Amino acid sequence: MAFKPKRHLKVINNLKDLDLNASDLIHDCSCSLCKDDYHNTEAKYFCGDCSKYYCDKCLTFHAKVHKEHIVLGRKDVNKWSGKGDAIYMMCRSITLISDLARGIQTLVDFKELPASVTKPDPGERRQKEKKQNSLKASGKSMLTKVKALRTSLNQLLDELEKRTVEEIDSVLADLDGSLQKDIDACTNIHDQLKALLDTVQAKDDDSESTFYI
């Protein structure tokens, strides 16, 4: 996809400006006593004698102290001292969304926005496809190397098995031959002793000397 960040940001910033200017809401007038205590409370009354604004709570206190003062309510807001200037200053900074948005559809950036978002970039697509093919080739190469390594390991294991079997067979053959010689020697000695015993027993001489020999 091809994007033009500068144009997109310009349009988005314009829309943000519309929203910020349209949502700047403040009190027409704040209570003078609450403001002294660092509170922002909307004023509903104005005392011309004190030249101060009051909320419902602070007006109760004011009425007890200054019963003779004339207090104006919301219905006489046009008579509040300084109220006209405050409203003028506040309203001067407010612009209707309809005024700010007028003619936005004729802007070049606005007209080009859908096309720039939906129009694919051939160069970028080719680059992505090239990376995709490179990734597939790398994966195939790695699989080939793994299979080759597996084959090599199998050959080494087969050779190791063959040599081990041959060595074991050789050792077993040597041991078996040595043991067979001992067995044959024992059999020969046993046969000689038996023959000697038969010879001794066959003699008629019963002397002790003969048996001793």
Side-chain angles (χ1 to χ4, degrees), residues 137-166:
S138 298
K140 186 176 181 180
S141 176
M142 291 178 64
L143 292 176
T144 302
K145 292 180 180 179
V146 169
K147 292 181 179 179
L149 178 61
R150 175 64 181 271
T151 302
S152 178
L153 290 175
N154 288 339
Q155 292 176 352
L156 291 175
L157 291 174
D158 292 341
E159 183 66 23
L160 178 61
E161 180 184 8
K162 181 180 178 181
R163 291 182 180 179
T164 302
V165 171
E166 290 176 351

